[in-house]
Amino acid sequence: MDLNGLSVFVTGGGSGLGAATARLMAAKGAKVACFDLNKDNAEKVAKEIGGIGIGGDVSSEADAKAALDAAEKAHGVPRVLVNCAGIGNAITTVNKNGAFPLDAFKKIIDVNLIGSFNMLRLAAERMSKQEPVGEERGVVINTASVAAFDGQVGQAAYSASKGGIVGMTLPIARDLARDGVRVVTIAPGLFLT
């Protein structure tokens, strides 16, 4: 898909992989919306690349819909969604403080897995109603991690969340193939942005 002039939506676009992705997409001519829990960071990156910055939580249906609405108003329906938003923690299953706090585990799953699915489902619905660009109506790129396959000590929640992203990719790709929406997942290791 030629990105020139297309609307691209990047979650976690205020820092790290998301910011680097937003910059790359803009360099290829895309009109980019940066969505991040840290609105100031999202706006800073967006200003740098001539896009828009939006604050909000990927795991919130209301925030996600409002962000997609803002991106659509500014640049048209996003044809590319790159899910980079993610968080981690380093807590062992049992440690000197006791058992892994369930709320800490749930938070990682909410942001990384549920947040990715939330954004994907809402963006894909919009993409599926558009005219094709070439052979497809849109592309979703999810970010898992090598930890999905080889998690380390203290990465139970992170690995579970990223493994969930890997596990949902193929069924969702099959679901959305009939609509011309391609779904892929990358699984990076450690990197510098």
Side-chain angles (χ1 to χ4, degrees), residues 4-172:
N4 192 40
L6 286 186
S7 177
V8 173
F9 192 97
V10 181
T11 72
S15 65
L17 178 63
T21 299
R23 289 181 183 109
L24 178 66
M25 296 289 181
K28 294 191 176 287
K31 297 180 275 183
V32 181
C34 298
F35 184 45
D36 201 288
L37 191 59
N38 186 321
K39 185 179 180 183
D40 291 341
N41 284 357
E43 289 175 341
K44 180 180 175 186
V45 172
K47 183 177 180 184
E48 173 190 327
I49 63 173
I52 63 164
I54 308 159
D57 181 351
V58 293
S59 66
S60 161
E61 183 170 13
D63 285 4
K65 285 181 176 178
L68 287 166
D69 287 345
E72 185 173 338
K73 182 177 180 184
H75 302 141
V77 172
R79 295 302 192 111
V80 178
L81 166 67
V82 187
N83 273 321
C84 295
I87 59 173
N89 60 26
I91 304 171
T92 56
T93 307
V94 176
N95 57 60
K96 66 182 179 183
N97 298 318
F100 193 126
L102 191 56
D103 286 347
F105 191 93
K106 286 180 179 180
K107 180 67 176 172
I108 301 297
I109 299 298
D110 279 348
V111 173
N112 297 357
L113 178 56
I114 299 197
S116 292
F117 181 71
N118 187 39
M119 296 306 306
L120 181 156
R121 71 188 182 92
L122 295 172
E125 178 185 29
R126 293 170 191 237
M127 291 174 189
S128 70
K129 296 175 182 173
Q130 303 308 302
E131 289 298 316
V133 176
E135 295 182 1
E136 56 199 358
R137 289 182 171 87
V139 177
V140 177
I141 303 168
N142 292 316
T143 304
S145 165
V146 69
F149 311 101
D150 189 17
Q152 302 300 307
V153 170
Q155 286 191 323
Y158 185 75
S159 293
S161 70
K162 296 302 186 171
I165 292 169
V166 170
M168 73 180 180
T169 301
L170 187 55
I172 292 173

